[in-house]
Amino acid sequence: MTHLKKYWPLHLMVLPSLLFLIAFSYLPMGGIVMAFQNFKPRLGITGSEWVGLDNFRFLFEREDSIQVIWNTLLIAMLKIIFNLIAPFTFAIFLNEVRKELFKRYVQTMVYLPHFLSWVLLGGILLNVLSTDGGFVNRILESVGFDAIPFLMDGSWFRFTVVASDIWKEFGYGAIVFLAALSNVNPSLYEAAEVDGASRLKQTLHITIPAMLPITIVVGTLALGNVLNAGFDQIFNLYNPLVYDSGDILDTFVYRTGIIGGNMGFATAIGLFKSVISMVLIFISYRAAYKWANYRIF
């Protein structure tokens, strides 16, 4: 009680966020019961028929459900891998820049896309990658290549989704790696230079080892998001032509529950994803603690 009286302004500052969390994260959890019902909006939760695990059984019996799960895993894993490699590599190259003003300019430029919403970027990509006069395809056609249906062909759609996500996030993701490099003792580089080590050898034996602990942490914690392939991005870019290769769990839930009206089945999909994600988050935190001695508590 004494602690509360002493720090009441801080608790008051946290209160709006706490209320927001309760209202939009905890109270809606009561709707999980719809996953075990043949939910009818006119009957509500109390009046809808209970069907047990039928919705979950139906999830694994539908061919399109299995394809959606595969799409989610594939796209999410590609994003995790390349969103680890890209900022790692970028941080190494940026660390070699000696002109501080140019370095800060580059950092600012690559950070900016992170703060743009996928609603805006989706519209830009739809225009830039269009086969009907899009900037990229106009360049390809001008040098003798055929137009590429980046957003109309399944295989190209996955490539576009992963590549655009890397472009948007690699600059912001490099912050943690640059922070790790800022803690490296400059005398290590000076001693290596005195011993005749080239810049490449300094990078291999000083820079990269200094980045490995945070790389392990970032990589293992990212496993908890293996079923989050990016609803905002996919929703703003996909279309019926690429459902087979681009539809993910979140967009499938939207189309099944909101558009199709099958609330019980959509809730079952969401619950399935949440349970798997919770298990993966637990495993990833344990792995980060074991391999990199990282813990939040």
Side-chain angles (χ1 to χ4, degrees), residues 95-144:
N95 187 60
E96 296 300 314
V97 176
R98 292 294 172 262
K99 293 185 177 180
E100 196 65 29
L101 184 60
F102 177 74
K103 186 176 181 178
R104 291 179 180 178
Y105 173 78
V106 172
Q107 283 182 278
T108 303
M109 288 299 100
V110 297
Y111 289 171
L112 287 178
H114 170 79
F115 299 100
L116 300 178
S117 72
W118 276 114
V119 176
L120 176 61
L121 290 179
I124 293 173
L125 289 174
L126 288 173
N127 287 318
V128 171
L129 301 178
S130 172
T131 55
D132 185 20
F135 176 73
V136 173
N137 278 311
R138 288 179 64 182
I139 293 177
L140 292 175
E141 290 173 340
S142 67
V143 295

Side-chain angles (χ1 to χ4, degrees), residues 10-147:
L10 299 179
H11 290 283
L12 191 63
M13 290 174 61
V14 173
L15 184 60
S17 298
L18 181 61
L19 294 175
F20 183 88
L21 185 67
I22 293 173
F24 293 98
S25 295
Y26 286 97
L27 291 180
M29 290 179 69
I32 288 175
V33 296
M34 291 191 294
F36 307 96
Q37 295 179 323
N38 181 18
F39 180 77
K40 303 294 182 183
R42 59 186 176 81
L43 298 176
I45 291 178
T46 56
S48 296
E49 177 188 2
W50 290 88
V51 294
L53 298 176
D54 285 357
N55 287 323
F56 296 93
R57 191 177 298 111
F58 189 42
L59 169 63
F60 292 102
E61 289 176 351
R62 287 182 55 163
E63 292 185 6
D64 55 347
S65 297
I66 303 301
Q67 183 62 44
V68 165
I69 294 173
W70 166 246
N71 292 341
T72 304
L73 289 173
L74 180 59
I75 293 174
M77 285 304 300
L78 288 174
K79 285 185 176 182
I80 289 173
I81 293 171
F82 288 104
N83 275 326
L84 190 62
I85 295 174
F88 181 91
T89 305
F90 173 72
I92 292 176
F93 282 114
L94 194 63
N95 187 60
E96 296 300 314
V97 176
R98 292 294 172 262
K99 293 185 177 180
E100 196 65 29
L101 184 60
F102 177 74
K103 186 176 181 178
R104 291 179 180 178
Y105 173 78
V106 172
Q107 283 182 278
T108 303
M109 288 299 100
V110 297
Y111 289 171
L112 287 178
H114 170 79
F115 299 100
L116 300 178
S117 72
W118 276 114
V119 176
L120 176 61
L121 290 179
I124 293 173
L125 289 174
L126 288 173
N127 287 318
V128 171
L129 301 178
S130 172
T131 55
D132 185 20
F135 176 73
V136 173
N137 278 311
R138 288 179 64 182
I139 293 177
L140 292 175
E141 290 173 340
S142 67
V143 295
F145 292 99
D146 293 331

